[in-house]
Amino acid sequence: MKRPKPIVEIASTGRWLPDNVVTNQDFEKTLDTSDEWIRERTGIRERRIAPREIGAGYMGVEAAKVAMCRAGIEPGEIDVLICATATPDRLLPSTACAIQAELGATNAAAFDVSAACSGFIYALGVAEGQIAAGRAEIVLVVSAEKMTGITDMSDRSTAVLFGDGAGAVVVRKSTNGRGVLSNYIRSDGTLAELLWRPVGGVVEPMTHEALERRDHMVKMAGREVFKSAVKSMADAADQALLRAGLTGEDVDLFIPHQANIRIIEATAKYAKVPMEKVFVNVDRYGNMSSATIPIALDEAIEQGRVRSGDIILMVAFGAGFTWASSVIRW
Ligand code: ACO
């Protein structure tokens, strides 16, 4: 297959994480769980939890400021501001509008993308489309998640999995052949009930009973989600590489969604990318939904694991179900 020419590139990255570290040992004090169970089943050792008053909007602004500073972008230069989030500050209006107001990005169109853990790659695809169509020059993509705000901390099967954080990237026209070589997005809405928040929208509004049952929090059929995640992430890895005219052997750095080390290892094995080329930080942060990939990318750059010209594969899976992948030449 002919190698595609990139239209857009990631000009810069930024991240923000709360200072508060909650370890597996901390959960041992409140739940019938153990550090050993959590580490063996998920690979998670600790996660960051934001204070009550901090939401996705605040975290997104802080991550965006870093990315904008590194790209030398002023707020007024942003044409489109996309926030990928599964944990919006409010149901109305969008968290992207809150971020726009705080940044003073007065010339931007701002909206949220709701694709759960796949949200960053979905938003990157939307950014690419806007720039390709000539409707935008600079797009700010923010993935901000306060997962602990929608997690039932009394449910051991979900409480230990999630964390809070935000990542941001500035997307602009490609220079020197760098940038996005492929972007693949898919979903399957028939499996929604395996991972969802049943109550709190207009179809099932909040009631006292629902609140007591904690039906406004994340409910997950972990084992089924696990199987779908492995299958869909394998498909996504295949498709992103195929569409970029590459194979797993060409990949210099693989950044999978950080939900579970066993899912990461299975996907890497399937894609034929050795683990030394796989970026892993799920041990330190847990699952931060759409924010995991941009945060991991930002950390990988900081750690010197990304060189000019490197091929980066990104693959995600989340509620919806949604799954997505992208190949980037750095
Ligand atoms: N501590 C101790 N025991 C636990 C805990 C816990 N924290 N949680 C569950 N268990 C128990 C269960 O009750 C069950 O006990 P039983 O056998 O007596 O019934 C046992 O452990 C096994 O439970 P499983 O759910 O089968 O465990 P599994 O090995 O599947 O691991 C996990 C659970 C970690 C949730 C895994 O299924 C998983 O990672 N799933 C995918 C999650 C994911 O990828 N999500 C991505 C999308 S997230 C998003 O979009 C927001």
Side-chain angles (χ1 to χ4, degrees):
M1 188 181 170
K2 202 169 157 261
R3 297 254 161 94
K5 247 180 103 181
I7 298 164
V8 299
E9 66 180 15
I10 292 177
S12 66
T13 60
R15 71 177 187 275
W16 189 87
L17 289 144
D19 292 332
N20 180 30
V21 177
V22 175
T23 63
N24 293 347
Q25 284 80 6
D26 292 327
F27 276 112
E28 286 178 351
K29 295 174 199 150
T30 55
L31 292 172
D32 179 16
T33 190
S34 66
D35 172 51
E36 193 189 358
W37 190 96
I38 302 169
R39 270 190 294 107
E40 281 181 3
R41 300 289 178 123
T42 71
I44 300 166
R45 288 170 188 276
E46 59 189 42
R47 69 290 289 146
R48 304 294 178 97
I49 297 190
R52 169 73 193 82
E53 65 281 6
I54 284 186
Y58 177 92
M59 295 192 274
V61 166
E62 294 306 308
K65 281 182 190 164
V66 177
M68 286 162 60
C69 176
R70 287 179 179 159
I73 299 290
E74 294 297 324
E77 293 177 74
I78 299 165
D79 300 307
V80 177
L81 194 167
I82 309 171
C83 179
T85 187
T87 56
D89 285 357
R90 293 188 172 77
L91 293 182
L92 188 78
S94 70
T95 302
C97 282
I99 294 172
Q100 173 189 30
E102 193 57 33
L103 290 176
T106 45
N107 296 315
F111 56 93
D112 287 358
V113 161
S114 174
C117 304
S118 310
F120 174 72
I121 298 175
Y122 268 66
L124 188 62
V126 176
E128 182 183 40
Q130 286 289 311
I131 293 172
R135 298 188 183 120
E137 282 187 18
I138 305 278
V139 181
L140 178 66
V141 173
V142 180
S143 288
E145 303 283 10
K146 191 181 185 185
M147 289 303 291
T148 62
I150 61 165
T151 305
D152 180 354
M153 287 302 178
S154 66
D155 173 5
R156 68 174 183 175
S157 69
T158 51
V160 300
L161 303 177
F162 298 108
D164 303 330
V169 301
V170 171
V171 183
R172 67 177 177 206
K173 268 192 196 132
S174 168
T175 52
N176 305 321
R178 339 168 37 228
V180 176
L181 298 175
S182 65
N183 185 277
Y184 171 71
I185 58 173
R186 285 289 305 275
S187 36
D188 181 355
T190 64
L191 300 172
E193 292 175 23
L194 295 177
L195 175 53
W196 68 337
R197 294 174 67 198
V199 163
V202 291
V203 172
E204 288 194 63
M206 184 66 76
T207 59
H208 286 295
E209 295 73 30
L211 193 63
E212 270 166 22
R213 286 195 306 270
R214 309 183 77 73
D215 279 352
H216 58 307
M217 296 297 191
V218 168
K219 308 284 174 199
M220 181 169 75
R223 208 172 291 177
E224 286 74 22
V225 173
F226 188 98
K227 283 186 219 150
S228 288
V230 171
K231 191 167 139 262
S232 301
M233 285 175 75
D235 166 60
D238 268 351
Q239 288 298 325
L241 289 168
L242 182 74
R243 288 158 197 233
L246 299 168
T247 70
E249 278 153 27
D250 300 310
V251 173
D252 297 297
L253 184 67
F254 178 28
I255 304 182
H257 172 48
Q258 310 278 316
N260 183 315
I261 190 67
R262 292 183 292 142
I263 298 174
I264 292 172
E265 285 168 353
T267 310
K269 192 173 171 199
Y270 178 86
K272 296 191 176 61
V273 180
M275 278 308 286
E276 57 269 23
K277 291 185 176 179
V278 182
F279 193 87
V280 176
N281 63 9
V282 69
D283 53 325
R284 288 180 288 123
Y285 301 138
N287 181 348
M288 298 174 290
S289 192
S290 71
T292 66
I293 289 179
I295 287 173
L297 177 61
D298 189 58
E299 288 196 334
I301 294 165
E302 197 172 88
Q303 291 172 16
R305 290 187 64 177
V306 184
R307 291 170 311 261
S308 181
D310 274 0
I311 295 294
I312 304 174
L313 169 66
M314 307 187 291
V315 176
F317 173 84
F321 289 150
T322 58
W323 60 102
S325 52
S326 197
V327 170
I328 293 178
R329 186 185 295 119
W330 196 255

